[in-house]
Amino acid sequence: MFTGIVEETGTVAGVRQTAAGIQLTVRCRVTGRGLNLGDSVAVNGCCLTLVDSGADWWETDVTDETYSRTNLGALQPGDRVNLERPMALGERLGGHIVLGHVDAVGEVLNAERQAFLAGHEVGADRGEQQSQKDHADRLEHRAARQHGGEHEAH
């Protein structure tokens, strides 16, 4: 989980195709500190998993689905990206609780800027939203069945 507050801006050092999808290499100063392989890191708000790292860089694998449905698919070496390490329990929150997982693809319909505030109107495909809701409903139903089954066994 993340706060949604950008910790630093890094630079895309490499984008290459692998058997698993895309491997993204990012140069950074701060966000690699204290992370271990397998930890989550947010790149432009998308939750990715650290697969390799060095003193001033790290790499993540990006699935084809994530690559095609987010702005990560447009990244080229030299591009700047917003970076954030995951929250740690017991630390100050200072933002919001965000997952960094993509639920739907939207289109910015309207954007307004007033002084230091910005407002956006975003539309998403209703069919995709309904599909996400149906999936969540199925998971909730399955969890309820499993929970009920556990009580019957006791």
Side-chain angles (χ1 to χ4, degrees):
M1 294 215 196
F2 304 93
T3 64
I5 297 174
V6 175
E7 192 169 1
E8 80 169 312
T9 303
T11 304
V12 174
V15 178
R16 72 181 178 92
Q17 183 72 46
T18 68
I22 303 296
Q23 192 160 72
L24 182 67
T25 305
V26 176
R27 292 214 176 277
C28 58
R29 291 171 294 160
V30 176
T31 54
R33 294 184 199 152
L35 291 181
N36 298 305
L37 298 185
D39 284 351
S40 295
V41 62
V43 178
N44 286 352
C46 296
C47 179
L48 300 174
T49 303
L50 192 76
V51 297
D52 199 4
S53 66
D56 66 346
W57 62 272
W58 43 257
E59 288 181 336
T60 65
D61 288 334
V62 183
T63 65
D64 290 335
E65 184 77 6
T66 299
Y67 195 72
S68 69
R69 290 187 171 267
T70 67
N71 63 8
L72 301 181
L75 293 177
Q76 299 293 318
D79 287 348
R80 307 290 286 167
V81 288
N82 295 325
L83 305 173
E84 181 189 357
R85 289 178 288 188
M87 296 184 326
L89 290 177
E91 289 187 9
R92 214 168 143 225
L93 182 55
H96 307 280
I97 297 176
V98 291
L99 298 176
H101 298 181
V102 177
D103 292 324
V105 176
E107 176 184 358
V108 176
L109 303 174
N110 186 25
E112 293 182 21
R113 186 174 283 293
Q114 298 175 350
F116 60 90
L117 298 174
H120 298 86
E121 180 183 355
V122 179
D125 178 17
R126 302 276 307 151
E128 189 167 316
Q129 287 177 330
Q130 187 61 45
S131 173
Q132 292 292 329
K133 183 184 178 317
D134 291 346
H135 178 67
D137 289 347
R138 281 193 304 275
L139 290 176
E140 185 177 321
H141 181 69
R142 183 181 308 146
R145 273 196 333 240
Q146 289 173 345
H147 183 69
E150 288 175 11
H151 285 301
E152 292 171 12
H154 293 300

